[in-house]
Amino acid sequence: MTKRIELPQWKALASHSEAIGGLHLRQLFFADPERGGRMVAEACGLYLDYSKNRITAETLPLLVDLADACGLQQAIEAMFTGDHINQTEDRAVLHVALRAAREAVIKVKASDEKKSYNAVKRVWQVLDEMVKFANKVRSGKWLGATGQRIRNVVNVGIGGSDLGPKMAYEALKCYSQRDLRIEFVSNVDGTHMAETLQGMDPAETLFIICSKTFTTQETMTNAETARDWLVDVLGKDAVPKHFVAVSTAAKEVEAFGIDTANMFGFWEWVGGRYSMWSAVGLATMLGIGPENFLAMLEGGRAMDDHFRTAPFAQNLPVIMALLGVWYNNFLGADSHAILPYDQYLHRFAAHLQQVDMESNGKSVDKDGHRVAWQTGPVIWGEPGTNGQHAFYQLIHQGTKLIPADFIGFCKSQNPLGDHHAKLMANFFAQTEALAFGLPEEKVNEVFKGTPAELVPHKAFEGNRPTNTLLATKLDPYTMGALMALYENKIFVQGVIWNVFSFDQWGVQLGKVLASQVLKELKAEAPDLKHDSSTNTLIQRFRQMA
Ligand code: F6P
């Protein structure tokens, strides 16, 4: 396979970056004053303004040429039709089936089944079970072992079995039934479980043990601790009323002592970090209610339809992915900031870190060769306006190029006084300041009376690129569309970088070594055979613990 950097389309972009890389956004807007109304795209209620990027009218078409040369359209079709595109694990990648319409048909051949089957039919069977269960718990029909109503739900999971459902629950919290407390415990640090259970009554608590494999050390340790906590007070027989499981691994669930009748399944073709739409979202559904959860799936589905059918130059996930490629591979950026101006999205960047970095943080291409180009960027971010008082200094005046996505909403879910106008004033002002900066000769117009020696410190270079995503309101449909937009963006980038986006071998080595170290921490007199640093640290820990 031709190496990406040898493609004529890649080379054309490299020359283009040399030709226009030195242009400032001030010049670009001066030369093309209407670009702010033209470099936009809209779908599923999301309005994308990408005009404040370091691009000319030629850039996107050149990027689209690269996408075509990399076979993007065929790759999209391969995913949506159940091809085993996760080749290192020989699996289909069908999180899109999780949000498909009930009547849709997507055939899949899974390794644990003899025949291919309709993935969507299975998805809806589980969704229906989830809806029934959620309604029982929310209405108080599902009672704990002592006949008390469930007041606390604790999701026990980590990675994709925690970040996605927690992010979605937090994002849509204003739709939740407030008398049902939803918590998420992920860290194997006992503090997480201990602090979460503080003041909770076991008789009113339901645990969802959420793990695709049901073998993850952190989750199983936390699950056992939760079971001990409950059994101590209510006895062993109470477990079925207080523990349900979300997993693909029925045998392991049974071995843990959870009745498989209370297990909500999903499938090998759902990657952990793409699973918040499946039964992994049970805690989210319990919190926000089935109707809102299904509306979130609808938003995701609408974005998938747009992604699959819209021409690339008007396709939101494709545009955002290609702009990311532009900065990552041609302008030397190595991180990407996610800056939502909505407090409800305070876990959005954290979830995207897993989805993006676990997917495209690879350095070997699909042929097993070391890549000669950059792959996934570092993803980071916090909600505005908090970030403005923390790290924006570096984005504005630091030496690094940090493309950023600003995500904002026209209507607040909590319209208090003029809070929302102030929030959004900051939102618009920031992208303007980042793009256009403040040249030295204008410093005194804005910061009157600035002495000459302070002028360089108060000037802003500008030319900091941003995307702006604007939607009416952070409702469940919009939330689904937004998340599917990013999932699909990440898919496109994996295709361009020619990496396998749906495995995560990079997490395995640490797990293996940790199990060895654990034995050494517990042993009377371990024979430590690590390097001198690790040996000394372990010895010191053993002396001090
Ligand atoms: O260690 C990484 C990982 O495998 C993630 O990909 C996954 O989301 C997480 O662990 C949790 O896995 P599981 O759902 O099987 O417990």
Side-chain angles (χ1 to χ4, degrees):
M1 193 183 285
T2 316
K3 283 206 182 323
R4 291 307 192 229
I5 50 172
E6 285 160 13
L7 289 170
Q9 293 82 356
W10 188 284
K11 290 181 182 163
L13 279 158
S15 337
H16 181 62
S17 69
E18 273 165 33
I20 72 147
L23 289 179
H24 195 287
L25 277 163
R26 285 196 286 262
Q27 294 167 293
L28 293 167
F29 271 81
F30 183 77
D32 179 9
E34 301 309 320
R35 59 187 267 142
R38 213 185 49 251
M39 289 185 175
V40 298
E42 196 164 5
C44 318
L46 297 174
Y47 176 85
L48 167 68
D49 174 341
Y50 60 94
S51 65
K52 293 193 185 91
N53 279 291
R54 293 190 192 174
I55 56 170
T56 65
E58 284 82 55
T59 316
L60 190 58
L62 286 171
L63 286 161
V64 168
D65 287 348
L66 175 65
D68 288 337
C70 295
L72 178 59
Q73 195 65 59
Q74 298 89 308
I76 294 172
E77 278 316 294
M79 172 170 72
F80 275 89
T81 51
D83 274 13
H84 283 209
I85 60 171
N86 176 358
Q87 285 180 28
T88 62
E89 295 176 310
D90 192 16
R91 289 175 181 173
V93 173
L94 278 179
H95 48 274
V96 293
L98 300 173
R99 48 208 189 215
R102 193 184 279 274
E103 59 281 4
V105 176
I106 303 178
K107 286 276 170 79
V108 65
K109 176 80 190 77
S111 66
D112 50 354
E113 303 252 354
K114 290 211 174 77
K115 283 190 188 157
S116 56
Y117 60 87
N118 180 9
V120 182
K121 194 168 167 209
R122 303 239 175 140
V123 163
W124 279 94
Q125 275 164 358
V126 176
L127 279 172
D128 289 342
E129 286 167 25
M130 287 166 65
V131 169
K132 261 195 231 153
F133 179 71
N135 283 336
K136 270 196 211 160
V137 174
R138 285 165 61 86
S139 65
K141 277 197 191 126
W142 178 285
L143 298 173
T146 59
Q148 277 163 269
R149 193 179 171 144
I150 298 297
R151 304 268 173 214
N152 314 302
V153 173
V154 183
N155 185 83
V156 178
I158 197 165
S161 299
D162 166 71
L163 289 161
K166 181 173 167 68
M167 180 282 294
Y169 170 66
E170 293 292 335
L172 299 172
K173 206 176 198 165
C174 65
Y175 294 87
S176 69
Q177 183 170 307
R178 301 287 176 152
D179 61 354
L180 190 60
R181 182 174 156 200
I182 311 284
E183 297 285 348
F184 294 80
V185 174
S186 52
N187 202 329
V188 75
D189 181 346
T191 299
H192 202 175
M193 184 62 87
E195 282 296 334
T196 307
L197 298 183
Q198 274 292 329
M200 271 190 196
D201 179 352
E204 299 181 337
T205 303
L206 175 77
F207 291 95
I208 302 175
I209 311 303
C210 189
S211 173
K212 182 173 173 179
T213 54
F214 234 72
T215 56
T216 304
Q217 185 200 53
E218 293 89 333
T219 302
M220 297 333 293
T221 306
N222 279 326
E224 279 157 22
T225 300
R227 191 177 50 191
D228 291 348
W229 175 80
L230 186 115
V231 168
D232 257 5
V233 180
L234 300 179
K236 227 173 150 196
D237 293 347
V239 170
K241 286 281 169 200
H242 295 268
F243 279 79
V244 299
V246 171
S247 189
T248 58
K251 266 193 210 143
E252 284 75 4
V253 168
E254 213 166 1
F256 180 84
I258 297 179
D259 187 348
T260 44
N262 296 330
M263 167 179 153
F264 299 86
F266 62 114
W267 310 271
E268 64 170 29
W269 37 265
V270 180
R273 53 194 174 274
Y274 296 89
S275 65
M276 57 170 252
W277 319 87
S278 70
V280 167
L282 185 61
T284 314
M285 187 192 271
L286 281 164
I288 66 172
E291 209 178 299
N292 290 314
F293 190 87
L294 296 178
M296 182 180 84
L297 299 190
E298 215 183 297
R301 180 187 322 145
M303 183 53 75
D304 288 341
D305 289 345
H306 166 76
F307 176 52
R308 198 174 175 185
T309 57
F312 289 163
Q314 282 132 44
N315 192 311
L316 265 67
V318 175
I319 295 170
M320 287 178 65
L322 293 178
L323 290 170
V325 169
W326 174 239
Y327 293 114
N328 194 49
N329 298 98
F330 300 99
L331 297 188
D334 47 22
S335 83
H336 190 104
I338 306 290
L339 307 172
Y341 276 61
D342 193 308
Q343 189 55 29
Y344 282 126
L345 286 178
H346 70 108
R347 294 298 290 164
F348 193 60
H351 174 47
L352 273 187
Q353 279 181 329
Q354 189 201 6
V355 186
D356 200 320
M357 292 161 80
E358 203 168 77
S359 296
N360 288 337
K362 313 281 164 69
S363 52
V364 168
D365 70 11
K366 288 184 181 169
D367 300 318
H369 300 129
R370 169 98 203 172
V371 293
W373 52 90
Q374 287 294 317
T375 62
V378 176
I379 300 293
W380 60 285
E382 278 289 321
T385 58
N386 289 5
Q388 290 175 207
H389 299 272
F391 53 78
Y392 277 36
Q393 164 67 40
L394 186 145
I395 308 184
H396 279 286
Q397 286 189 319
T399 52
K400 295 181 168 48
L401 171 62
I402 303 174
D405 295 347
F406 278 70
I407 305 167
F409 301 90
C410 301
K411 288 188 186 167
S412 171
Q413 295 280 19
N414 295 290
L416 291 177
D418 65 353
H419 283 250
H420 196 60
K422 286 177 176 158
L423 174 75
M424 293 308 282
N426 278 282
F427 176 78
F428 296 119
Q430 285 296 328
T431 62
E432 188 180 5
L434 287 164
F436 303 107
L438 183 65
E440 291 199 2
E441 61 276 17
K442 292 202 172 158
V443 164
N444 261 290
E445 285 174 26
V446 178
F447 305 116
K448 302 222 170 12
T450 300
E453 69 275 15
L454 286 190
V455 166
H457 299 281
K458 291 193 164 193
F460 290 70
E461 211 172 66
N463 213 18
R464 271 59 174 168
T466 56
N467 289 317
T468 298
L469 275 169
L470 193 61
T472 307
K473 200 166 86 170
L474 183 56
D475 56 24
Y477 177 94
T478 307
M479 177 61 229
L482 183 66
M483 195 52 232
L485 161 62
Y486 277 95
E487 288 185 357
N488 290 327
K489 171 201 155 173
I490 291 161
F491 173 84
V492 173
Q493 294 188 327
V495 172
I496 305 288
W497 294 324
N498 197 29
V499 295
F500 286 123
S501 298
F502 298 100
D503 59 23
Q504 57 285 321
W505 302 107
V507 300
Q508 296 304 339
L509 178 60
K511 288 186 191 174
V512 174
L513 294 185
S515 74
Q516 173 59 28
V517 174
L518 181 60
K519 284 185 204 140
E520 293 161 357
L521 296 185
K522 289 181 170 175
E524 284 275 317
D527 178 19
L528 298 177
K529 291 201 173 106
H530 305 272
D531 58 277
S532 60
S533 162
T534 313
N535 282 347
T536 313
L537 288 166
I538 292 174
Q539 272 154 1
R540 193 172 171 92
F541 172 82
R542 289 174 55 87
Q543 284 155 12
M544 311 288 283

